Amino acid sequence: MRAYDVIKNKRDGKKLTQTEIQFMIKGFVDGSIPDYQMAALLMAVYFKGMDEEETYWLTDCMRTSGDIIALEGIEGVTVDKHSTGGVGDKTSLVLGPVLASLGLKVAKMSGRGLGHTGGTIDKLESIKGFSCELTTEQFIDAVNSTGVVIVGQTGNLVPADKKIYALRDVTATVDSIPLIAASIMSKKLAVANKVLVLDVKVGSGAFMKNLEDARELARLMVKIGTQAGRKVTAVLSNMDEPLGEMIGNAVEVKEAIDTLRNQGPESFTRLIKTLAAQALVMADKVTAEEAEKKVEQVIADKTAYNKFLEMVKIQGGDVSMIEDYSKLPTARQTVELKSDKDGFVKEIHCEEIGLAAMMLGAGRETKDSVIDMAVGLKLIKHVGDEVKSGDTIAEIFVNPDLDNSKAIQRLKDAISISPEKVTAQPLILDIIS
Ligand code: URA
């Protein structure tokens, strides 16, 4: 078999066989197929697409390109969640303890942030002593004992995706639905969780800019997961503005703590209830309504909050920082961003907000950038809210030793005010299972 012929077949719109896909992935990972041939294949897939069967084989070949985490030794139903990425997304910090409180086992591997999206691991590392690097044995023991553990990706998990993603990033082939589905699902299926709830973001801050594309991606991922023997549901949620109110690292941990104490923003709490209920429906065969009641209960009676404390403790974190979160890293100066006109908030451009937060120091421009855990922002106004000239739209938490003027201007430009009334989109746009 020759890479040339596989590329030509896809270029001409033919369906690739499992053997052809395997040949390309294996060869690319072991170095026998060069970047330029894989790049040509990716571009052919971008234009000609892949059907469900091809996408399944691509996912499976990528999944088996490295380590498989069997999760042997974990008693009970293991559950994972994946978000397709957004700004202000602190969902795992709350959802993990909520699900563990309801008897599920959450053995979560999360990533670090790069560019406009923050990473769960970075946020957790704002808690002094918190370790996201556990050995496999420690990881399994900790999950059995607390029900929830969040660690960084370990080992050689799906090397095919690392290499292919790097190439997609520089060849304008990221936004292809079969390539995104295979990339996400290969990583999810490499860890042997039984239940998977996908949070597919839709809007200006997401990979999927419209509902139609998001539905197509969600259906494809649910199908791939189901075919692989997992229970999978996708929740489509709005990312036309950041999730919740806080964007940063320590500030997002604070918002997660508020939510676990039943004092979180309404929209973020709604997303948590929806995702948790869907996971429970798959694990316990309860109805969505019954599941939501259970979720509300463990938040209201602080069981989920106490689970979070247990998780922080077992991962070496300073629990006193959670009990009194003024001990978490806190910025020395707050700048208020004020509206200069009357009207209604029309748009809070997610990607621009994420990039401005990165410029303040809350995110990484390159893999080696050092994050300032204390900086970030709080959105006071949301899409649809009425504002008067002089009202505070956002509080910006800055390091006063830096010149933050460009970041602040970028934040200002990311928020548009319209003279006409604006109706905000609902947060939950669809559920596909
Ligand atoms: N997230 C991933 O992991 N892969 C993609 O291709 C897109 C989003």
Side-chain angles (χ1 to χ4, degrees):
M1 193 178 290
R2 293 189 314 160
Y4 176 94
D5 296 317
V6 181
I7 298 165
K8 184 167 175 293
N9 283 344
K10 189 38 76 185
R11 183 202 70 185
D12 295 343
K14 293 195 182 130
K15 178 170 174 161
L16 300 184
T17 64
Q18 182 188 358
T19 317
E20 284 175 317
I21 293 170
Q22 209 152 31
F23 170 78
M24 292 300 292
I25 299 299
K26 207 166 166 294
F28 185 53
V29 173
D30 71 23
S32 57
I33 290 176
D35 280 5
Y36 54 82
Q37 284 188 309
M38 181 50 84
L41 180 67
L42 292 169
M43 191 56 87
V45 170
Y46 181 89
F47 281 113
K48 298 292 178 177
M50 274 186 153
D51 72 9
E52 278 170 22
E53 203 180 356
E54 288 172 291
T55 313
Y56 178 79
W57 290 126
L58 176 62
T59 307
D60 200 56
C61 293
M62 287 168 69
R63 177 184 76 88
T64 50
S65 64
D67 296 347
I68 299 289
I69 315 280
L71 299 182
E72 273 160 2
I74 296 183
E75 301 132 26
V77 181
T78 47
V79 55
D80 194 7
K81 94 105 194 7
H82 180 82
S83 154
T84 57
V87 177
D89 192 351
K90 67 286 292 175
T91 309
S92 295
L93 305 189
V94 181
L95 189 64
V98 165
L99 293 175
S101 302
L102 290 160
L104 302 186
K105 293 290 162 62
V106 186
K108 178 110 194 76
M109 290 192 174
S110 286
R112 292 185 186 278
L114 187 61
H116 77 282
T117 57
T120 300
I121 297 298
D122 299 315
K123 293 166 198 177
L124 283 167
E125 283 179 352
S126 65
I127 306 166
K128 197 170 129 214
F130 194 97
S131 170
C132 292
E133 283 170 28
L134 304 187
T135 64
T136 307
E137 206 179 356
Q138 286 170 328
F139 181 52
I140 303 285
D141 285 351
V143 176
N144 276 330
S145 129
T146 63
V148 52
V149 175
I150 303 180
V151 293
Q153 254 175 35
T154 49
N156 187 29
L157 204 73
V158 195
D161 182 62
K162 285 195 193 98
K163 275 192 92 173
I164 291 174
Y165 197 91
L167 210 49
R168 286 168 61 205
D169 212 17
V170 292
T171 56
T173 50
V174 167
D175 47 348
S176 147
I177 288 177
L179 295 181
I180 295 175
S183 164
I184 293 174
M185 292 306 287
S186 60
K187 288 175 286 197
K188 292 289 112 183
L189 299 177
V191 185
N193 285 291
K194 297 190 176 86
V195 168
L196 173 62
V197 57
L198 298 166
D199 181 9
V200 178
K201 305 288 191 192
V202 191
S204 68
F207 280 102
M208 297 292 108
K209 306 286 179 213
N210 65 66
L211 192 52
E212 226 174 285
D213 286 349
R215 282 204 179 103
E216 191 183 331
L217 175 66
R219 281 198 197 103
L220 190 55
M221 291 195 291
V222 168
K223 219 159 198 169
I224 292 168
T226 310
Q227 200 170 340
R230 315 293 173 87
K231 291 184 179 176
V232 190
T233 293
V235 172
L236 274 61
S237 69
N238 183 17
M239 227 332 129
D240 261 338
E241 64 179 313
L243 184 60
E245 295 174 350
M246 298 292 199
I247 297 120
N249 292 282
V251 290
E252 289 196 36
V253 174
K254 291 177 189 176
E255 188 166 57
I257 296 168
D258 281 341
T259 307
L260 286 161
R261 289 177 180 157
N262 213 7
Q263 292 157 358
E266 202 265 326
S267 59
F268 179 50
T269 307
R270 165 99 323 268
L271 181 65
I272 293 291
K273 285 183 191 168
T274 308
L275 292 170
Q278 289 304 319
L280 273 186
V281 167
M282 287 187 277
D284 271 2
K285 301 193 174 67
V286 287
T287 66
E289 263 166 55
E290 287 163 345
E292 256 198 45
K293 286 214 178 79
K294 288 184 179 203
V295 174
E296 279 165 10
Q297 180 67 30
V298 294
I299 295 177
D301 68 13
K302 305 277 190 295
T303 315
Y305 169 69
N306 288 324
K307 260 298 159 216
F308 184 66
L309 290 181
E310 265 184 67
M311 178 186 91
V312 170
K313 189 165 178 212
I314 208 158
Q315 296 195 235
D318 180 351
V319 173
S320 77
M321 283 185 145
I322 311 301
E323 288 165 335
D324 172 6
Y325 67 41
S326 66
K327 291 185 183 170
L328 282 167
T330 301
R332 278 183 287 143
Q333 192 184 343
T334 300
V335 176
E336 292 194 337
L337 190 68
K338 293 189 185 287
S339 176
D340 51 14
K341 49 170 120 54
D342 293 351
F344 297 85
V345 179
K346 185 171 174 223
E347 190 188 20
I348 303 180
H349 197 286
C350 275
E351 191 170 348
E352 281 302 304
I353 296 276
L355 290 169
M358 182 190 80
M359 286 164 74
L360 292 172
R364 282 190 193 85
E365 198 163 354
T366 70
K367 272 194 292 195
D368 303 320
S369 314
V370 176
I371 286 181
D372 181 341
M373 293 294 177
V375 302
L377 67 138
K378 176 178 184 175
L379 289 168
I380 308 288
K381 298 285 182 187
H382 298 274
V383 172
D385 285 354
E386 188 172 5
V387 288
K388 299 264 176 253
S389 177
D391 280 356
T392 303
I393 313 174
E395 288 172 354
I396 312 170
F397 312 117
V398 301
N399 173 354
D401 299 336
L402 300 179
D403 174 8
N404 295 296
S405 54
K406 284 200 178 120
I408 292 172
Q409 187 58 46
R410 195 164 193 166
L411 281 172
K412 203 164 188 179
D413 294 343
I415 302 173
S416 54
I417 312 280
S418 136
E420 286 101 39
K421 223 172 165 54
V422 175
T423 311
Q425 286 246 25
L427 178 70
I428 307 297
L429 299 166
D430 203 355
I431 296 178
I432 292 172
S433 55

